[in-house]
Amino acid sequence: MSTLNINPLIYRFVRYCLNRTYLDIDDNKLSADERYSLETILAIIRQAEDNWEGIDDVVKFISEELPKIYGQALERLPDRIVDELFEKMLNNCKELDEVKSNSKVLNAINDAFNEMKNVKKKFLEGSKTRIYEPSA
């Protein structure tokens, strides 16, 4: 595939949406284990980019994988940090012209927000073996 035909969102998702969000997150109160978990979650998202060849791959990732990663993050980190990371990341993406002009991507992001609410609800109702008690 020619690089001229590649949608810029493929590169901007990590570089703009994710990395910009990470810079805004206050992780000073996280323990060393929590920081490691945060870095692991970020690495999972960053590595997903390696497999994206087109905008449909990004849409599939946002729709299917991102809510799963959100659930994994809830198991490892305080939910306030997880919510901030994922909400800001998706909101940053909504600012991009590549997203504003593509209803498929915009719908995937809005659907991901809804799916994350479902994941969080199940998490809050779920396992008593989790490491962190969610904040009220």
Side-chain angles (χ1 to χ4, degrees):
M1 175 184 287
S2 167
T3 55
L4 297 176
N5 295 332
I6 295 179
N7 189 304
L9 180 60
I10 292 172
Y11 300 107
R12 290 186 180 152
F13 185 86
V14 168
R15 286 159 193 77
Y16 182 83
C17 304
L18 179 64
N19 291 346
R20 181 172 176 222
T21 299
Y22 179 59
L23 290 174
D24 290 340
I25 289 184
D26 180 11
D27 61 357
N28 291 330
K29 295 179 182 173
L30 297 179
S31 70
D33 286 342
E34 291 168 334
R35 283 182 190 207
Y36 176 78
S37 292
L38 178 59
E39 287 296 330
T40 300
I41 295 298
L42 294 170
I44 290 168
I45 296 170
R46 288 176 179 137
Q47 289 170 358
E49 179 189 60
D50 296 342
N51 299 315
W52 299 342
E53 294 181 4
I55 202 70
D56 288 340
D57 294 328
V58 179
V59 168
K60 183 176 180 181
F61 173 79
I62 292 170
S63 300
E64 297 176 15
E65 296 303 316
L66 204 57
K68 292 177 190 175
I69 297 168
Y70 173 80
Q72 293 170 2
L74 286 173
E75 293 290 337
R76 299 176 179 188
L77 291 161
D79 60 331
R80 65 176 175 75
I81 291 285
V82 175
D83 289 342
E84 181 180 5
L85 175 68
F86 283 79
E87 287 172 17
K88 283 185 176 183
M89 175 178 48
L90 291 175
N91 282 325
N92 283 342
C93 282
K94 288 172 90 172
E95 294 175 4
L96 293 171
D97 289 337
E98 296 85 4
V99 172
K100 290 178 184 177
S101 64
N102 189 320
S103 62
K104 186 188 249 187
V105 179
L106 196 54
N107 289 338
I109 289 172
N110 290 330
D111 291 347
F113 272 121
N114 290 331
E115 184 57 28
M116 288 187 316
K117 287 178 188 171
N118 293 334
V119 169
K120 179 134 186 204
K121 182 179 177 190
K122 289 177 188 172
F123 172 77
L124 292 173
E125 294 170 350
S127 171
K128 298 190 188 302
T129 61
R130 64 180 167 252
I131 296 170
Y132 296 102
E133 288 302 315
S135 55

